[in-house]
Amino acid sequence: MALVVQKFGGTSVADAVKIKAAAAKAIARHAAGDKVVVVVSAMGHQTDILVDLAKQITDRPSAREMDMLLSTGEQVSVALFAMAIQAAGHKAVSLTGAQIGIRTDSTHTKARIRSISTDHVNSLLDSGAIVIAAGFQGIDQNGNITTLGRGGSDTTAVALAAVLGADVCEIYTDVDGVYTTDPRVLPEARRLPSISYDEMLELASLGAGVMHSRSIEFAKKFGVKVLVRSSFKDVPGTLILAADEATARAASGVALAKDEARITLENVPDQPGSSHALFSELAASGIAVDMIVQNVGQGGRADISFTVPEDDLAEALERAEAVAKQIGAEGVSHDHNVAKVSVVGVGMARAEGVAGRMFTALAHEKINVHMITTSEIKISALVDRKDGPAAVKAVHKAFGLDVAAAEPAHAAAGGPLTKSSPLEVVRRLEGMEDLAIEDCLLDSSQALVTFTDLPDTPGVAAQVFEELGKAGLNVDMIVQSHPRNGLAEISFTVPAASRDAATAAAKKIAAARGAKVADVPHVAKLSITGVGIRSHAGVADRLFKPLADEGINIDLVSTSEVRLNVIVAADHGQKSLAVLRKAFGV
Ligand code: ADP
Ligand code: ASP
Ligand code: MG
């Protein structure tokens, strides 16, 4: 007898007919002898309708009352779902988040799960009932109803699967699996038979709306097997699982975050502590920042740029302006008309010419790239919002994602988390959804090369990384800062042994464009690894503060959901490692 969690999204329960059809799936599984827990979203666009109603009352509804309101959507659908099962002659009990005992923190509208009690659900399952759980909601320690953030029913489902020890968590939705990019945006997208936790986590967090990224944090931390499949068609779907990185693809998918905003603090005095002041202020309001970029700057001053979801722009700007005054920055600029296109692949670090391929594809479409950041498993580029869909199309094609690949690329590998410390990390967590830090690593084998004064025209990054690729250079971290006065800055790291070749190639490119090149023969790269690093606001800050306190300056930063990297001077490597190990308790 297996235990299965089945989750049905809004479209899958949009009307009575669809609810009955979904209920039939749960009944069939139960009749086959399995224990079944169903997690249901609000019907159709009900959550949007409720959000809109609130807006008709006030511009600034309190977050607590929003949760009170939005949670009703799921309460309606679970009751109807249970009735549908009962009407077919089977036992079913519907439960709200509070009735199950899904305890969350008190961050209304984006609460994180702290614990889930299993007693009630298990006794109902033992009694032969199908349990219908309301998605997206919980209760805080003071008895207030909370919600987990839009799309959060996925997270309820995977979290329940984790605590109940379910054999599989099936996500029934209106697409028949995870595609190489949103098939509604790009018809040539292809369904992936399987995808690794890390890739799905990264894609979801970078804009692929098919899964709530926090659900994949649970899946990875607790080793939950997730199957995404269609509510309406009986086709295989996509399995999300721990994957053997050795057989991984260079690119698995492309994501578009179409509503991004960029904020730049201009001419910040370049001293340890500026970044900390900024990012601690943002973290305090729970804003998750991405694409953190600092340029080298002139006269002891530098610009710090970062992106936030456009919804967070007003608050982020207010806070950034306050900090700018405090730390002596000369001004704050912003742009809300931007989108972030990212390519994700676990095998990227070992593949050649990945950056060149991406930027050449964008240059071909005459799409200007405003900012670039990378990590081991993704490259993100900030572009004008109007260029977003064309950018996705170009990058998707450049990586051959429109052509069927030989599958399976993902051989299933061992348990959750890493090879080193499977559930050790999770055991130390106070709340189930707390940030899980695994390790802090030091790599002293890289050199840093920086272009300054590069004219900001479409194709600059393409030319740089094409040339470096031709020279056979394996580039690791890449950062392109937000251009100022028509001039951009690109920094990248290469293995120290390739430094001379990289610098020579860079000088050649720079000469042709009136740019300058500087290099640092040896730098130290520090990496914090874990799960949910970017989406937990404040991780970057936990890294900036202890380094700033030691007077250690950070040259480059890059983030992903599974890793946060910084480059510091080589002679600060060991000290930084010790400081960070202490700060992160590893
Ligand atoms: P549900 O209501 O079932 O939770 P969602 O609307 O949240 O469904 O998610 C499904 C949608 O995600 C699809 O209709 C599709 O447009 C979108 N989507 C975005 N990126 C992807 C992707 N890479 N693969 C599949 N679907 C995607
Ligand atoms: N009903 C909620 C929403 O629309 C949660 C979900 O569907 O996952 O965001
Ligand atoms: Mg969804």
Coordinates of all heavy atoms in Angstrom, one line a residue, residues 7-10 40-48 70 73-74 135-136 149-155 212, ligand 2:
K7 N -2.1 16.8 -5.9 CA -2.5 18.2 -5.8 C -3.2 18.6 -7.0 O -2.7 18.4 -8.1 CB -1.3 19.1 -5.5 CG -1.6 20.5 -5.4 CD -1.1 21.3 -6.6 CE -1.6 22.7 -6.6 NZ -1.1 23.5 -7.8
F8 N -4.3 19.3 -6.9 CA -5.0 19.8 -8.1 C -5.0 21.4 -8.0 O -5.5 22.0 -7.1 CB -6.5 19.3 -8.1 CG -6.5 17.8 -8.3 CD1 -6.6 16.9 -7.2 CD2 -6.5 17.3 -9.6 CE1 -6.6 15.6 -7.4 CE2 -6.6 15.9 -9.8 CZ -6.6 15.0 -8.7
G9 N -4.5 22.0 -9.1 CA -4.5 23.4 -9.2 C -5.8 24.0 -9.6 O -6.8 23.3 -9.9
G10 N -5.9 25.3 -9.6 CA -7.1 26.1 -9.8 C -7.9 25.6 -11.1 O -9.1 25.4 -11.0
V40 N -6.0 20.8 -2.5 CA -6.7 21.5 -3.6 C -6.5 23.0 -3.5 O -6.3 23.6 -2.4 CB -8.2 21.2 -3.4 CG1 -9.0 21.7 -4.7 CG2 -8.5 19.8 -3.2
S41 N -6.4 23.6 -4.7 CA -6.3 25.1 -4.8 C -7.7 25.7 -4.9 O -8.7 24.9 -5.0 CB -5.6 25.5 -6.1 OG -4.3 25.2 -6.0
A42 N -7.8 27.0 -4.8 CA -9.1 27.7 -5.0 C -9.6 27.4 -6.4 O -8.7 27.2 -7.3 CB -8.9 29.1 -4.7
M43 N -10.9 27.5 -6.6 CA -11.4 27.2 -8.0 C -11.0 28.3 -9.0 O -11.2 29.4 -8.7 CB -12.9 27.1 -7.9 CG -13.5 25.9 -7.1 SD -15.3 26.1 -6.8 CE -15.9 25.8 -8.4
G44 N -10.6 27.8 -10.1 CA -10.3 28.8 -11.2 C -9.5 30.0 -10.8 O -8.4 29.8 -10.2
H45 N -10.0 31.1 -11.1 CA -9.3 32.4 -10.8 C -9.8 33.0 -9.5 O -9.7 34.2 -9.3 CB -9.4 33.4 -11.9 CG -8.8 32.9 -13.2 ND1 -7.4 32.9 -13.3 CD2 -9.3 32.4 -14.3 CE1 -7.1 32.4 -14.5 NE2 -8.2 32.1 -15.1
Q46 N -10.4 32.2 -8.6 CA -11.0 32.7 -7.4 C -10.0 33.6 -6.6 O -10.5 34.6 -6.1 CB -11.5 31.5 -6.5 CG -12.4 32.0 -5.3 CD -13.6 32.8 -5.7 OE1 -14.1 32.7 -6.8 NE2 -14.0 33.7 -4.8
T47 N -8.8 33.2 -6.5 CA -7.9 34.0 -5.7 C -7.7 35.4 -6.3 O -7.7 36.4 -5.6 CB -6.5 33.2 -5.5 OG1 -6.8 31.9 -5.1 CG2 -5.6 33.9 -4.5
D48 N -7.6 35.4 -7.6 CA -7.5 36.7 -8.3 C -8.7 37.6 -8.0 O -8.6 38.8 -7.8 CB -7.3 36.5 -9.8 CG -6.0 35.8 -10.2 OD1 -5.0 36.1 -9.4 OD2 -6.0 35.1 -11.1
L70 N -8.2 35.5 1.4 CA -7.8 34.5 0.4 C -7.9 33.1 0.8 O -8.1 32.2 -0.1 CB -6.3 34.8 0.0 CG -6.0 36.2 -0.5 CD1 -4.6 36.3 -1.1 CD2 -7.0 36.6 -1.7
G73 N -10.9 30.8 -0.4 CA -11.0 30.2 -1.8 C -10.8 28.7 -1.7 O -11.6 27.9 -2.2
E74 N -9.8 28.3 -0.9 CA -9.5 26.9 -0.7 C -10.5 26.2 0.2 O -10.7 25.0 0.0 CB -8.0 26.7 -0.2 CG -6.9 26.7 -1.2 CD -6.6 28.0 -1.9 OE1 -7.2 29.1 -1.5 OE2 -5.9 28.0 -2.9
G135 N -5.0 23.8 0.3 CA -3.7 24.3 -0.1 C -3.5 25.7 0.4 O -4.4 26.4 0.7
F136 N -2.2 26.1 0.4 CA -1.8 27.5 0.5 C -2.0 28.2 1.8 O -1.7 29.4 2.0 CB -2.7 28.2 -0.7 CG -2.7 29.7 -0.8 CD1 -1.6 30.4 -1.1 CD2 -4.0 30.3 -0.8 CE1 -1.7 31.8 -1.3 CE2 -4.1 31.7 -1.0 CZ -3.0 32.4 -1.2
G149 N 1.8 32.5 0.1 CA 2.2 33.3 -1.1 C 1.6 32.6 -2.3 O 1.2 31.4 -2.3
R150 N 1.4 33.4 -3.4 CA 0.7 33.0 -4.6 C 1.3 31.7 -5.1 O 2.5 31.6 -5.2 CB 0.6 34.1 -5.6 CG -0.2 35.3 -5.2 CD -1.6 35.0 -4.8 NE -2.4 34.3 -5.7 CZ -3.1 34.8 -6.7 NH1 -3.2 36.1 -6.9 NH2 -3.8 34.1 -7.5
G151 N 0.5 30.8 -5.5 CA 1.0 29.5 -6.0 C 1.3 28.5 -4.9 O 1.9 27.4 -5.2
G152 N 1.0 28.9 -3.7 CA 1.5 28.1 -2.5 C 0.9 26.7 -2.3 O 1.4 26.0 -1.4
S153 N -0.1 26.4 -3.0 CA -0.7 25.0 -2.8 C 0.3 23.9 -3.2 O 0.3 22.8 -2.6 CB -1.9 24.8 -3.6 OG -2.9 25.7 -3.2
D154 N 1.2 24.2 -4.1 CA 2.3 23.2 -4.4 C 3.1 23.0 -3.2 O 3.5 21.8 -2.9 CB 3.2 23.8 -5.5 CG 2.5 24.0 -6.8 OD1 1.5 23.3 -7.1 OD2 3.0 24.9 -7.6
T155 N 3.4 24.0 -2.4 CA 4.2 23.9 -1.2 C 3.5 23.1 -0.2 O 4.1 22.3 0.5 CB 4.7 25.3 -0.8 OG1 5.5 25.9 -1.8 CG2 5.4 25.3 0.5
H212 N 5.6 26.2 -7.5 CA 6.0 27.2 -6.5 C 7.4 26.8 -6.1 O 7.6 25.7 -5.7 CB 5.0 27.1 -5.4 CG 5.0 28.2 -4.4 ND1 5.1 28.1 -3.0 CD2 4.9 29.5 -4.6 CE1 5.0 29.2 -2.5 NE2 4.9 30.2 -3.4
Ligands
ASP2 N1 -5.1 29.8 -4.8 C1 -3.7 30.2 -4.5 C2 -3.3 31.1 -5.7 O1 -4.0 31.3 -6.7 C3 -2.8 29.1 -4.3 C4 -2.5 28.2 -5.4 O2 -3.3 28.1 -6.3 O3 -1.5 27.5 -5.4 O4 -2.2 31.6 -5.6

